[in-house]
Amino acid sequence: MSTELPPVAPEVLAEAVENLTARLRKKLDAATEGCAAGAVLEAEGTVTLRFGEDALVTLRPGPAGTIATADQATCSCLLAPRCLHRAAALGAAPLADTPPEPAAEPDPGPAAAPTAAAADPTGSTEPAASAAPAGPVGATVPATPALTAAQLRAAGALWHVAAEALAAGVTAGGAVVQAELLRAAHTARLAGLIRAEAAALRVVRGLRAAREHRAGQRLGDLTDAFRELLHTAGLLAAGSADPALTGTARRAYAPGGSLQVHGLCREPVLSATGYGGVVTHLLAADGTPYSVSDVRPGGLARARGAGSASVALGGATLDHAGLARGGLRIVGATVSAEGRLGAGRGVRATPLPGSAWTEQPAARLFARPAAEAVAALLADPDAAESTLLGCDVTVVGAVGEHLLVRETRPDAPLLRLLPAHPHPELAHTENLRRIASYPGLQLRVLGRPDLDRTATLRPVAVGPVPGAEHTLRLPEEWLGRADLGYDRLQGAHFPQGAAAPVPLPAAEGPDPLADSPLWRVRRLLETGVAGGRRAVAEAARGTESLAGASYAPLRRAGLTAAAELAAALAAEADRRPRDVFGRLADPSPDGYAWAWLAAATHLAAAERCLIAASWAASPSAVPVSGR
């Protein structure tokens, strides 16, 4: 069994690669590959890697378990610290998350740090985007300050490095390209461009996963990460000072006064970067959503155990299981812009009896069609990741990886239910499989819509439909709902006997997103991410001309802008400038990156429109264009 290497801070790896000579940089990818297999765990967490007879790399992680400074990675060879061995060992280690800064509480003096780490229910560890200051009605909102010269330089440098990484693609996006991205990301962080840094780190992690052919890695995810990075860096480099683009490293907590909140459900949090925990969703009497989260390093074990951990909020004597089916009366509440409740020194919380989903305020979540709720989320994508919607559905059955259900409304579409988290050690997948074996079962579902898929909901909790005969029979102490990530449904929780027959469709029905000719644009964009600029140029020089059969389906479907942007991207990729002597010269990556970003941004907007349509009507009513 190989020893896992300690995570390394991005700036430490970037500096190690930067110190290599050009000759050694060419050898870095080969040296990095497989070197972690020989790692040996020594005393006090120290890890050693041997390169030949004369080179021993020693990694001594700090108290946080990460390599945070250059002196924690040493090599015994004569070229150290500017040696290939040290850079290869650091390059083989996973990237450490940026240490979250303590949340700013409004209480004077030292305050208890809230348990909410910089990780959200979806597993992301991105910093929160700061919200624009809001004042009373009639008050003047101060103008957004302009970017500083340092921020403009950092954004411009990050844009250029991101453009070069896109032009290189996965095939040429090795350790040197990744180190340049990490260096630019660190500079962006020092300049206060937190969202840009987070976007760059996602791209680097995606490049690593794609080059190592890790299970679960999707080229589409890396494509979306490149789009986010180029969009953020490009706008910042152009001088846009929108606070949503700069972001903030700390979750600023503001006074929230007195609150009375009721539990909805809880769900486990498990991120790809080693964080684990739980988030409990709450709802105020006016329908405002809140949450209490406890997310820390610890991975799967912590995600499973945190569901019954105590709630560290104002002295409340509840655990997360009790809070999900109970409530709190909070005095002196502190609330972040995302609705997270803080645990400052002045916060006092008293437990309240729980309320069922059939009672207010939870009942209003199930009162409007899911299509209306999704339309509101699509209008505010930043809020979509943490917003839950509810609907009553009838189970149709399982087709492939999906559990098909139909909302109990006239002309409602088929909805696809997927696990909120697919890890086999969590209860989501097992619970959905058991539900799928009861066609005709009526359910009340609370979940998070997947806005990257057609009519797809990722449920976090389920309950019985009021007044329905063939519905769940849950224990009284569960208060009418089951948290799919923690509670395991058993046979006794389901009704006895068969429900009215529900015909299982021969297929899932038309998928307006998959059946749209927009897949041609996505394939071109993903070709560029995988193979770089050369791959897109080769596609442009293929057997099908740009103006002919290749993009004709797009034009026939009325997607003329998509066809033109794809053609412009292919033409820019194949542009081959020459110097004054007529020799081929390397083109600047900027024009290619702008053309790629324009096509990617248009594609994302078009796909969102099709996804919204898939929620709004039955499959037969959704127009499907030719392929």
Side-chain angles (χ1 to χ4, degrees), residues 515-608:
D515 295 337
S516 166
L518 284 172
W519 66 266
R520 298 171 183 270
V521 182
R522 176 162 285 279
R523 184 175 68 178
L524 184 66
L525 294 171
E526 293 181 353
T527 295
V529 170
R533 180 173 187 158
R534 287 187 178 183
V536 177
E538 290 297 327
R541 293 194 293 266
T543 55
E544 293 182 330
S545 66
L546 295 178
S550 184
Y551 298 110
L554 287 167
R555 294 187 172 89
R556 286 197 300 268
L559 301 171
T560 306
E564 296 298 332
L565 289 170
L569 170 60
E572 177 62 30
D574 199 31
R575 186 173 61 85
R576 309 177 74 189
R578 296 179 180 270
D579 61 19
V580 294
F581 299 104
R583 296 172 299 193
L584 288 174
D586 289 334
S588 168
D590 288 351
Y592 171 74
W594 281 118
W596 188 94
L597 178 59
T601 302
H602 180 86
L603 174 66
E607 288 180 338
R608 284 292 176 96

Side-chain angles (χ1 to χ4, degrees), residues 91-122:
L95 288 178
D97 289 315
T98 302
E101 299 181 37
E105 295 279 2
D107 305 306
T115 56
D120 62 24
T122 62

Side-chain angles (χ1 to χ4, degrees), residues 5 49 73 92-93 98 121 130 246 277 282 315 339 376 395 423 436 449 486 506 526 539 551 553 558 567 580 590:
L5 299 182
L49 299 91
T98 302
S130 59
T246 55
L282 310 165
V395 174
H423 197 288
Y486 290 107
E526 293 181 353
Y551 298 110
V580 294
D590 288 351

Side-chain angles (χ1 to χ4, degrees), residues 3-158:
T3 299
E4 292 186 2
L5 299 182
V8 58
E11 62 271 18
V12 174
L13 173 57
E15 182 182 10
V17 177
E18 187 176 304
N19 288 336
L20 295 179
T21 63
R23 181 179 64 85
L24 293 179
R25 290 187 185 188
K26 295 179 180 178
K27 300 180 179 181
L28 182 56
D29 285 333
T32 301
E33 186 176 355
C35 73
V40 177
L41 180 63
E42 307 289 351
E44 299 181 357
T46 298
V47 176
T48 59
L49 299 91
R50 182 166 293 281
F51 294 81
E53 296 182 359
D54 302 324
L56 181 68
V57 176
T58 303
L59 304 178
R60 298 182 178 86
T66 63
I67 305 298
T69 59
D71 59 1
Q72 291 176 324
T74 60
C75 182
S76 62
C77 77
L78 297 177
L79 292 179
R82 302 172 179 269
C83 64
L84 180 64
H85 317 112
R86 180 174 175 272
L90 292 173
L95 288 178
D97 289 315
T98 302
E101 299 181 37
E105 295 279 2
D107 305 306
T115 56
D120 62 24
T122 62
S124 170
T125 54
E126 302 171 36
S130 59
V137 176
T140 300
V141 179
T144 303
L147 296 180
T148 65
Q151 288 176 322
L152 289 172
R153 288 194 299 271
L158 183 56

Side-chain angles (χ1 to χ4, degrees), residues 356-591:
W357 281 358
T358 55
E359 303 172 10
Q360 296 297 350
R364 64 168 53 96
L365 293 176
F366 305 91
R368 64 173 176 172
E372 292 183 10
V374 170
L377 293 179
L378 287 170
D380 185 14
D382 289 338
E385 292 185 352
S386 58
T387 302
L388 301 178
L389 66 83
C391 57
D392 293 345
V393 301
T394 301
V395 174
V396 176
V399 174
E401 62 176 349
H402 301 141
L403 168 59
L404 297 185
V405 299
R406 190 181 296 277
E407 192 177 3
T408 55
R409 295 181 183 273
D411 297 324
L414 280 174
L415 303 183
R416 300 161 173 85
L417 302 189
L418 287 176
H421 201 293
H423 197 288
E425 294 298 322
L426 298 177
H428 296 99
T429 301
E430 179 184 340
N431 282 331
L432 288 186
R433 285 175 180 167
R434 186 173 287 272
I435 291 172
S437 63
Y438 289 85
L441 180 72
Q442 291 184 289
L443 287 175
R444 175 157 281 190
V445 178
L446 189 66
R448 186 175 296 105
D450 187 338
L451 300 183
D452 293 326
R453 297 172 182 259
T454 302
T456 299
L457 186 67
R458 295 186 180 270
V460 297
V462 296
V465 174
E469 178 180 355
H470 200 74
T471 189
L472 291 175
R473 306 284 191 265
L474 299 180
E476 184 177 348
E477 60 269 20
W478 285 15
L479 205 64
R481 64 260 205 180
D483 299 327
L484 292 179
Y486 290 107
D487 301 322
R488 294 187 181 270
L489 297 174
Q490 307 295 331
H493 299 149
F494 292 88
Q496 302 301 315
V502 177
L504 184 67
E508 294 185 41
D511 186 332
L513 184 59
D515 295 337
S516 166
L518 284 172
W519 66 266
R520 298 171 183 270
V521 182
R522 176 162 285 279
R523 184 175 68 178
L524 184 66
L525 294 171
E526 293 181 353
T527 295
V529 170
R533 180 173 187 158
R534 287 187 178 183
V536 177
E538 290 297 327
R541 293 194 293 266
T543 55
E544 293 182 330
S545 66
L546 295 178
S550 184
Y551 298 110
L554 287 167
R555 294 187 172 89
R556 286 197 300 268
L559 301 171
T560 306
E564 296 298 332
L565 289 170
L569 170 60
E572 177 62 30
D574 199 31
R575 186 173 61 85
R576 309 177 74 189
R578 296 179 180 270
D579 61 19
V580 294
F581 299 104
R583 296 172 299 193
L584 288 174
D586 289 334
S588 168
D590 288 351

Side-chain angles (χ1 to χ4, degrees), residues 170 210 217-224 522 525-527 529-530:
V170 172
Q217 168 61 25
R218 294 176 60 248
L219 189 58
D221 293 338
L222 182 54
T223 302
D224 293 341
R522 176 162 285 279
L525 294 171
E526 293 181 353
T527 295
V529 170

